[in-house]
Amino acid sequence: MNFFFWAFSLLNYLIVFGSLFYLLRIRPTPKMLAITLLCNIIIAISAIYLAPFQWVALILSVLLSGMFFYYITKKSIAFLHSIIILLLLIPVEYASLLLVKSFHLPLAIHVLLIITLFMFVLYLYKKLMDTMACLPLKIELLLILMATMTFIIFYITVFMDNLSLSLFHFSRLLTYLIFLFVMIVIVLQTVRKEAILEQKELTQQSFYEYTIQLEQMNREIRQVQHDYSNILLAIRGYIEQENMEGLKNYFEKVTSTTQSPSIHSLQQLENIQLPELKGLLSAKIVKAHHLSIQINVEVPNIIEHLFIESIVLVRLIGILFDNAIEASVQHPTPQIELAILTMSANEQLLIIRNTTIQSYNDIAKIFAENYSTKKNNQGLGLYTVQQFVTQHRNILLNTYVEGEWFVQEMLIERGGEDANRNI
């Protein structure tokens, strides 16, 4: 284990682990650096003592780096990045060796070439992956499989066949790599098109629900206008008879029955400028009113957008509100409180509170995949909520019980750079 070996081992650490910090947008802490350095030492030692089996060190590199960054981010794409980094490093190192041999360049230039070329291809890879903020798990697994197969081809071609330095062999490696990235682009384009179609369908459905609610409100307004003259005639009758007690009782009865929950819900949501969200909340609030649930909505600021995709936003709020309705309707005084607050230029807070008769001894259990407090198993939505929160690093969910109130607080941050909270 000479100086040059450890120097290249340190270079490998900076390339592999440094690239993962960069790709996953993680700000390293001293604890993270210590753990990753330990992982790199294990990889280096395996490369020394298992030199005839070079594949062991490569597999260790993928597994250790992939598992560590998966633990931090809870994203399986960390394994894909680990494999891709090695795939990029092999042709980059091959190309730099080819240049050093051809032009008889010194070792320092060799290292500089590796770093420069690798940073360039890594930047291109990151730009490609940034086009998709969140990939479905099955797509991530497909890409991992494709990258693994390409890596096996690289290993057989470079290490087992003792590939000599030549422009022809470099072209072969480059062809394999280009083919992989072409396939990745095709997969990403397909996923993007499906996401666009799904978002259009969701928007259309939200507009449809919103239109239905507006039509219902218009019918209620016309009904109130139609009854208005009859109400005035009835009031006139009480006045002519000087029946003030009867007039008082009649007035209280009329004012309670003519207050439309649908109209009131529209007034509460007037600051929300997102049609899909306003349509969803309007439908949920009307549903809650029909179940005799008291609703209180607080949206003090105009909400033109939230820092999250529309599809995810509607699904999350839909699940949380449905659970709030199902839980509060069992309470003697069913109530739901909803607040959408702008905390700062980079933070928005969504709060949904509902009264409940359930006792939650272990809050974590309600997010389990098969957990439900109902016989018909309708309470499985919170597992989906947890999956969404895990996949989106800019969402922080705080769930707790406060007396008879079950509270869900969702903090949505602009961007997803905060990745240090799990370690």
Side-chain angles (χ1 to χ4, degrees), residues 113-148:
L113 278 172
I114 292 176
I115 295 174
T116 304
L117 291 174
F118 183 79
M119 289 177 62
F120 175 71
V121 295
L122 184 68
Y123 172 77
L124 295 179
Y125 171 69
K126 185 177 185 297
K127 294 291 288 185
L128 173 64
M129 297 305 296
D130 282 348
T131 58
M132 289 299 298
C134 183
L135 293 172
L137 179 60
K138 61 181 181 181
I139 298 300
E140 290 184 1
L141 293 177
L142 174 62
L143 294 178
I144 290 173
L145 177 62
M146 291 166 54
T148 303

Side-chain angles (χ1 to χ4, degrees), residues 353-366:
R353 291 162 37 98
N354 62 270
T355 52
T356 179
I357 61 173
Q358 297 291 334
S359 58
Y360 300 94
N361 298 323
D362 187 357
I363 290 292
K365 286 184 178 180
I366 67 175

Side-chain angles (χ1 to χ4, degrees), residues 369-410:
E369 186 172 4
N370 297 315
Y371 179 85
S372 177
T373 59
K374 308 174 194 60
K375 294 180 180 179
N376 55 3
N377 233 25
Q378 291 180 344
L380 301 178
L382 289 179
Y383 172 74
T384 304
V385 170
Q386 185 62 41
Q387 294 299 106
F388 277 123
V389 172
T390 300
Q391 293 171 3
H392 293 77
R393 299 294 294 170
N394 63 321
I395 303 177
L396 303 175
L397 181 64
N398 183 28
T399 303
Y400 61 93
V401 176
E402 189 177 60
E404 295 184 336
W405 290 87
F406 180 78
V407 186
Q408 300 260 34
E409 295 179 346
M410 185 180 300

